[in-house]
Amino acid sequence: MHEFRFDPVKLPETTDALRQEVRDFVAEQVAQGRFDPRLNSWSSRDVEFSKACGERGYIGMCWPKQYGGHERSALERYVVVEELLALGAPVGAHWVSDRQSGHQILRHGSERAHQLILPKICAGECFFSIGMSEPDSGSDLAAVRTRANKVEGGWKISGSKVWTSGAHEAHYLIALARTAPLEDDRHAGMTQFIVDTSHPGFSTRPIYNLYGGHDFNEVIFDDYFVEDDMVLGGVGSGWKMVTGELAFERSGPDRFMSTFQLLLESLRQVGTEPNPQAATEIGRLVAHLATLRRMSTSIAGQLDRGANPAVEAALVKDIGTTFEREVPEVFRRLTGVEPSLGHSSDYAENLGLTILRSPSFTLRGGTREILRGMIARGLGLR
Ligand SMILES: Cc1cc2nc3c(=O)[nH]c(=O)nc-3n(C[C@H](O)[C@H](O)[C@H](O)COP(=O)(O)OP(=O)(O)OC[C@H]3O[C@@H](n4cnc5c(N)ncnc54)[C@H](O)[C@@H]3O)c2cc1C
């Protein structure tokens, strides 16, 4: 049985000053009218803001200086990221590059990939997407059908991906493809490739979400050529790469802070003298938030030590996204405000948008059922 560990971590002494630095930076941006924090979450994109984050050293914080990074600890990065989310900063454009893709390239990419890509990510000028899901392969990634065939000097990829967030604005994506036929070991024969979206053979088609926005896409590979040195982690290691990446994807504060701005706005709506029912519900939510934060920082500490806390990360994502989905429902009840879209006060609109967004929280990055399956296996129940 897996031993679940959420040992407490002590944030480094440098973090108080760092937190204040981020607060001053965001306050400056808001004062200049650059964005309205109330409507943002980590998927809100603003290319100029990402560039400003790059200039401040807030991207690639833990990576070597030689590739544009800043050699800070994972916990220092955690504090910056947490602060940006709490302040409603539009970090969406660089989020995937910083959270997982750049890290994967650093650990498993070729020297050419390091030099070509990492400095641009750190500058806030290079954005990535995740090319895992396919029309018949979402939860069951081992069923991917996108195929890469060996050719002189590289590989030719054909097939399609779906729900690929931000692919229409990304410079690269990391695509999972089958490089050997599906055999008894379903997890063998898959490989990850770094795909330059400006090259021929790559195209996207929009998929509109529940509120009519264009966040994700269908991605089509039509005999797309990728060089040998853009293979990530070696041919056939795709499954290992994907599962390693998911611990980063699932454990951060973004997995319980998607509705944090709404929580703050809702507390303002309720006011400083909530009735006993409201006080109880708010107390419960805040206690959950504090617990999630403690669990998530503990995982950041484990990742810093080179561990792969995939099962702990699954637990954070499952509980965290359940919390995110609860926030609009609880406050809809407590405030009596009817959610709307585009015709009412900011709060009603924020509530309406969040309610339409919230089903995706427990789907993206792995569904509840899949996460609970992993947790059950960790507990020795399956
Ligand atoms: C907003 C959003 C953004 C996304 N962005 C990306 C992205 O950038 N890149 C990317 O690659 N993907 C992305 N996805 C896709 C996401 O990862 C998949 O939707 C998710 O993994 C589920 O896969 P699926 O949609 O194929 O559903 P399915 O796998 O078909 O699942 C359908 C239902 O069956 C359940 N189910 C499936 N298998 C099992 C099982 N073994 N046991 C119990 N229940 C099971 C699932 O939990 C789910 O409820 C995004 C999704 C959303 C909603």
Side-chain angles (χ1 to χ4, degrees), residues 176-189:
L176 180 68
R178 187 151 283 291
T179 41
L182 189 58
E183 286 177 352
D184 291 348
D185 178 359
R186 301 183 73 241
H187 298 150

PDB file of all heavy atoms in Angstrom, residues 176-189:
ATOM      1  N   LEU A 176       1.810  13.429 -27.579  1.00  0.00           N
ATOM      2  CA  LEU A 176       2.017  12.004 -27.308  1.00  0.00           C
ATOM      3  C   LEU A 176       1.554  11.227 -28.541  1.00  0.00           C
ATOM      4  O   LEU A 176       0.434  11.424 -29.011  1.00  0.00           O
ATOM      5  CB  LEU A 176       1.183  11.602 -26.088  1.00  0.00           C
ATOM      6  CG  LEU A 176       1.269  10.140 -25.648  1.00  0.00           C
ATOM      7  CD1 LEU A 176       2.653   9.816 -25.089  1.00  0.00           C
ATOM      8  CD2 LEU A 176       0.209   9.841 -24.571  1.00  0.00           C
ATOM      9  N   ALA A 177       2.440  10.369 -29.067  1.00  0.00           N
ATOM     10  CA  ALA A 177       2.071   9.608 -30.274  1.00  0.00           C
ATOM     11  C   ALA A 177       2.542   8.167 -30.133  1.00  0.00           C
ATOM     12  O   ALA A 177       3.453   7.860 -29.349  1.00  0.00           O
ATOM     13  CB  ALA A 177       2.708  10.237 -31.503  1.00  0.00           C
ATOM     14  N   ARG A 178       1.904   7.306 -30.892  1.00  0.00           N
ATOM     15  CA  ARG A 178       2.284   5.896 -30.878  1.00  0.00           C
ATOM     16  C   ARG A 178       3.432   5.687 -31.862  1.00  0.00           C
ATOM     17  O   ARG A 178       3.335   6.094 -33.021  1.00  0.00           O
ATOM     18  CB  ARG A 178       1.048   5.059 -31.244  1.00  0.00           C
ATOM     19  CG  ARG A 178       1.248   3.598 -31.106  1.00  0.00           C
ATOM     20  CD  ARG A 178      -0.031   2.851 -30.766  1.00  0.00           C
ATOM     21  NE  ARG A 178      -0.416   2.974 -29.367  1.00  0.00           N
ATOM     22  CZ  ARG A 178       0.250   2.424 -28.349  1.00  0.00           C
ATOM     23  NH1 ARG A 178       1.331   1.712 -28.553  1.00  0.00           N
ATOM     24  NH2 ARG A 178      -0.177   2.592 -27.106  1.00  0.00           N
ATOM     25  N   THR A 179       4.536   5.113 -31.372  1.00  0.00           N
ATOM     26  CA  THR A 179       5.690   4.870 -32.249  1.00  0.00           C
ATOM     27  C   THR A 179       5.910   3.384 -32.488  1.00  0.00           C
ATOM     28  O   THR A 179       6.841   2.988 -33.195  1.00  0.00           O
ATOM     29  CB  THR A 179       6.971   5.500 -31.651  1.00  0.00           C
ATOM     30  OG1 THR A 179       6.987   5.281 -30.242  1.00  0.00           O
ATOM     31  CG2 THR A 179       7.017   6.979 -31.914  1.00  0.00           C
ATOM     32  N   ALA A 180       5.073   2.538 -31.861  1.00  0.00           N
ATOM     33  CA  ALA A 180       5.128   1.084 -32.105  1.00  0.00           C
ATOM     34  C   ALA A 180       3.705   0.564 -31.933  1.00  0.00           C
ATOM     35  O   ALA A 180       2.906   1.187 -31.214  1.00  0.00           O
ATOM     36  CB  ALA A 180       6.068   0.412 -31.109  1.00  0.00           C
ATOM     37  N   PRO A 181       3.347  -0.536 -32.589  1.00  0.00           N
ATOM     38  CA  PRO A 181       1.961  -1.014 -32.513  1.00  0.00           C
ATOM     39  C   PRO A 181       1.549  -1.328 -31.073  1.00  0.00           C
ATOM     40  O   PRO A 181       2.388  -1.659 -30.230  1.00  0.00           O
ATOM     41  CB  PRO A 181       1.974  -2.299 -33.351  1.00  0.00           C
ATOM     42  CG  PRO A 181       3.257  -2.295 -34.090  1.00  0.00           C
ATOM     43  CD  PRO A 181       4.205  -1.396 -33.379  1.00  0.00           C
ATOM     44  N   LEU A 182       0.233  -1.199 -30.835  1.00  0.00           N
ATOM     45  CA  LEU A 182      -0.323  -1.514 -29.516  1.00  0.00           C
ATOM     46  C   LEU A 182      -0.159  -3.017 -29.259  1.00  0.00           C
ATOM     47  O   LEU A 182      -0.624  -3.837 -30.039  1.00  0.00           O
ATOM     48  CB  LEU A 182      -1.803  -1.129 -29.520  1.00  0.00           C
ATOM     49  CG  LEU A 182      -2.554  -1.153 -28.208  1.00  0.00           C
ATOM     50  CD1 LEU A 182      -1.923  -0.230 -27.174  1.00  0.00           C
ATOM     51  CD2 LEU A 182      -4.002  -0.740 -28.426  1.00  0.00           C
ATOM     52  N   GLU A 183       0.565  -3.352 -28.169  1.00  0.00           N
ATOM     53  CA  GLU A 183       0.768  -4.781 -27.873  1.00  0.00           C
ATOM     54  C   GLU A 183       0.277  -5.086 -26.472  1.00  0.00           C
ATOM     55  O   GLU A 183      -0.464  -4.305 -25.890  1.00  0.00           O
ATOM     56  CB  GLU A 183       2.247  -5.115 -28.045  1.00  0.00           C
ATOM     57  CG  GLU A 183       2.593  -5.166 -29.528  1.00  0.00           C
ATOM     58  CD  GLU A 183       4.052  -5.422 -29.798  1.00  0.00           C
ATOM     59  OE1 GLU A 183       4.846  -5.408 -28.842  1.00  0.00           O
ATOM     60  OE2 GLU A 183       4.374  -5.627 -30.978  1.00  0.00           O
ATOM     61  N   ASP A 184       0.705  -6.230 -25.948  1.00  0.00           N
ATOM     62  CA  ASP A 184       0.211  -6.649 -24.630  1.00  0.00           C
ATOM     63  C   ASP A 184       0.464  -5.587 -23.569  1.00  0.00           C
ATOM     64  O   ASP A 184      -0.394  -5.289 -22.747  1.00  0.00           O
ATOM     65  CB  ASP A 184       0.898  -7.950 -24.199  1.00  0.00           C
ATOM     66  CG  ASP A 184       0.432  -9.101 -25.084  1.00  0.00           C
ATOM     67  OD1 ASP A 184      -0.552  -8.889 -25.833  1.00  0.00           O
ATOM     68  OD2 ASP A 184       1.059 -10.160 -25.044  1.00  0.00           O
ATOM     69  N   ASP A 185       1.664  -5.037 -23.569  1.00  0.00           N
ATOM     70  CA  ASP A 185       1.946  -3.952 -22.632  1.00  0.00           C
ATOM     71  C   ASP A 185       1.405  -2.663 -23.257  1.00  0.00           C
ATOM     72  O   ASP A 185       2.034  -2.067 -24.128  1.00  0.00           O
ATOM     73  CB  ASP A 185       3.462  -3.844 -22.391  1.00  0.00           C
ATOM     74  CG  ASP A 185       3.793  -2.692 -21.454  1.00  0.00           C
ATOM     75  OD1 ASP A 185       2.855  -1.989 -21.022  1.00  0.00           O
ATOM     76  OD2 ASP A 185       4.983  -2.494 -21.161  1.00  0.00           O
ATOM     77  N   ARG A 186       0.218  -2.251 -22.798  1.00  0.00           N
ATOM     78  CA  ARG A 186      -0.467  -1.110 -23.423  1.00  0.00           C
ATOM     79  C   ARG A 186       0.306   0.193 -23.245  1.00  0.00           C
ATOM     80  O   ARG A 186       0.068   1.160 -23.935  1.00  0.00           O
ATOM     81  CB  ARG A 186      -1.870  -0.942 -22.825  1.00  0.00           C
ATOM     82  CG  ARG A 186      -2.741  -2.167 -23.000  1.00  0.00           C
ATOM     83  CD  ARG A 186      -4.138  -1.918 -22.464  1.00  0.00           C
ATOM     84  NE  ARG A 186      -4.882  -1.031 -23.346  1.00  0.00           N
ATOM     85  CZ  ARG A 186      -5.354   0.146 -22.979  1.00  0.00           C
ATOM     86  NH1 ARG A 186      -5.160   0.581 -21.759  1.00  0.00           N
ATOM     87  NH2 ARG A 186      -6.029   0.887 -23.821  1.00  0.00           N
ATOM     88  N   HIS A 187       1.205   0.217 -22.265  1.00  0.00           N
ATOM     89  CA  HIS A 187       1.922   1.459 -21.979  1.00  0.00           C
ATOM     90  C   HIS A 187       3.237   1.574 -22.729  1.00  0.00           C
ATOM     91  O   HIS A 187       3.934   2.585 -22.623  1.00  0.00           O
ATOM     92  CB  HIS A 187       2.153   1.595 -20.468  1.00  0.00           C
ATOM     93  CG  HIS A 187       0.865   1.668 -19.707  1.00  0.00           C
ATOM     94  ND1 HIS A 187       0.717   1.209 -18.436  1.00  0.00           N
ATOM     95  CD2 HIS A 187      -0.339   2.140 -20.082  1.00  0.00           C
ATOM     96  CE1 HIS A 187      -0.537   1.390 -18.042  1.00  0.00           C
ATOM     97  NE2 HIS A 187      -1.191   1.958 -19.031  1.00  0.00           N
ATOM     98  N   ALA A 188       3.579   0.527 -23.472  1.00  0.00           N
ATOM     99  CA  ALA A 188       4.825   0.598 -24.252  1.00  0.00           C
ATOM    100  C   ALA A 188       4.518   1.227 -25.610  1.00  0.00           C
ATOM    101  O   ALA A 188       3.363   1.403 -25.989  1.00  0.00           O
ATOM    102  CB  ALA A 188       5.383  -0.806 -24.432  1.00  0.00           C
ATOM    103  N   GLY A 189       5.549   1.599 -26.351  1.00  0.00           N
ATOM    104  CA  GLY A 189       5.368   2.034 -27.742  1.00  0.00           C
ATOM    105  C   GLY A 189       4.785   3.414 -27.926  1.00  0.00           C
ATOM    106  O   GLY A 189       4.286   3.746 -28.993  1.00  0.00           O
TER     107      GLY A 189
END
